[in-house]
Amino acid sequence: MNHSITRMTRAVRSDVGSGWWDEYYIANCIGSQYVIRNYLAPGESTSWELAGVTVVAKKRSNRTGVPKAAETWTYNFSCDAFQVTVRSVWHRGDLLTPLKTHTRVVKVLPDTEEARQSYNSWLRAIAAI
């Protein structure tokens, strides 16, 4: 396994707790980053339909430690099988790096492996991962 992925895995487990993290977390974060960067450029709060999933974007107040010119957004992906919230920070027209810190899945409802797996399947179906 790549050392950076191993470090990210350890960080995620300590950050979100062992009950929330599972084998889908990192892939779902990476797939979410791809979808947001390629399909959901920052702009006005709005909603889209993307391959059977409703996506609602809302601008939020910035997190600490990001440049003043950055914009923090949440993206809510929802359908019958899941509701996933991803927080993302944009800066100068692109996602702020490091992506593992600034664009990540922050909530999955229902909080079940099935919901995370369903989101993962959707991401794979649209070739995001």
Side-chain angles (χ1 to χ4, degrees):
M1 182 181 270
N2 181 311
H3 291 298
S4 63
I5 292 174
T6 302
R7 284 191 300 274
M8 182 177 178
T9 302
R10 287 187 192 130
V12 167
R13 283 187 176 152
S14 64
D15 188 30
V16 298
S18 60
W20 194 85
W21 184 91
D22 64 12
E23 63 186 289
Y24 300 104
Y25 182 77
I26 294 171
N28 288 351
C29 283
I30 292 169
S32 298
Q33 293 160 3
Y34 178 85
V35 169
I36 291 168
R37 175 180 271 148
N38 292 291
Y39 296 109
L40 309 173
E44 296 180 25
S45 298
T46 189
S47 71
W48 301 269
E49 187 75 21
L50 182 60
V53 171
T54 301
V55 183
V56 177
K58 292 185 180 177
K59 188 174 178 184
R60 301 293 185 193
S61 58
N62 276 348
R63 304 174 59 232
T64 58
V66 300
K68 285 185 178 185
E71 293 184 351
T72 302
W73 289 77
T74 57
Y75 297 89
N76 293 303
F77 298 84
S78 60
C79 67
D80 291 340
F82 58 80
Q83 181 178 338
V84 174
T85 302
V86 179
R87 182 198 66 233
S88 189
V89 180
W90 289 89
H91 186 242
R92 297 183 178 159
D94 200 2
L95 297 177
L96 185 63
T97 58
L99 291 178
K100 70 180 184 180
T101 301
H102 297 296
T103 298
R104 66 188 321 174
V105 174
V106 294
K107 186 186 331 182
V108 178
L109 295 173
D111 187 9
T112 63
E113 183 175 342
E114 292 78 18
R116 291 183 287 279
Q117 183 178 15
S118 181
Y119 182 61
N120 184 275
S121 294
W122 175 76
L123 289 168
R124 285 185 286 121
I126 62 169
I129 52 177

